[in-house]
Amino acid sequence: MISTIKINSEKCKGCSLCIKACPKQCISLSKQFNKAGYHWAVLEKENSCIGCGFCYMVCPDVCIEVYKDL
């Protein structure tokens, strides 16, 4: 099974809740800033994502989408 997430970099405020919620520790903050001046979350370890959706559930700005392929 291949899973991944997509993060809207312009909506993300870099709160780090998704980073703390990820059981596989595959999310980190970018080194760049978005237009609002925040470091946004990025999927760093693409092959480690299991598509659990914890990041999606804790995101207060609803900027994460979870994708699962069977």
Side-chain angles (χ1 to χ4, degrees):
M1 181 188 302
I2 299 171
S3 301
T4 191
I5 61 171
K6 182 179 177 185
I7 301 168
N8 183 324
S9 62
E10 292 306 319
K11 286 177 66 178
C12 181
K13 295 183 198 166
C15 70
S16 300
L17 290 174
C18 58
I19 295 170
K20 295 173 187 166
C22 181
K24 295 295 187 173
Q25 301 175 334
C26 33
I27 306 171
S28 65
L29 289 180
S30 69
K31 297 190 186 326
Q32 295 88 16
F33 294 99
N34 62 15
K35 290 179 184 175
Y38 298 109
H39 294 282
W40 69 89
V42 293
L43 180 60
E44 186 175 298
K45 301 176 186 172
E46 294 181 23
N47 295 330
S48 297
C49 180
I50 58 173
C52 65
F54 291 155
C55 57
Y56 167 81
M57 289 186 268
V58 300
C59 181
D61 297 309
V62 193
C63 52
I64 301 175
E65 297 175 7
V66 180
Y67 296 94
K68 287 186 175 186
D69 274 337
L70 298 175

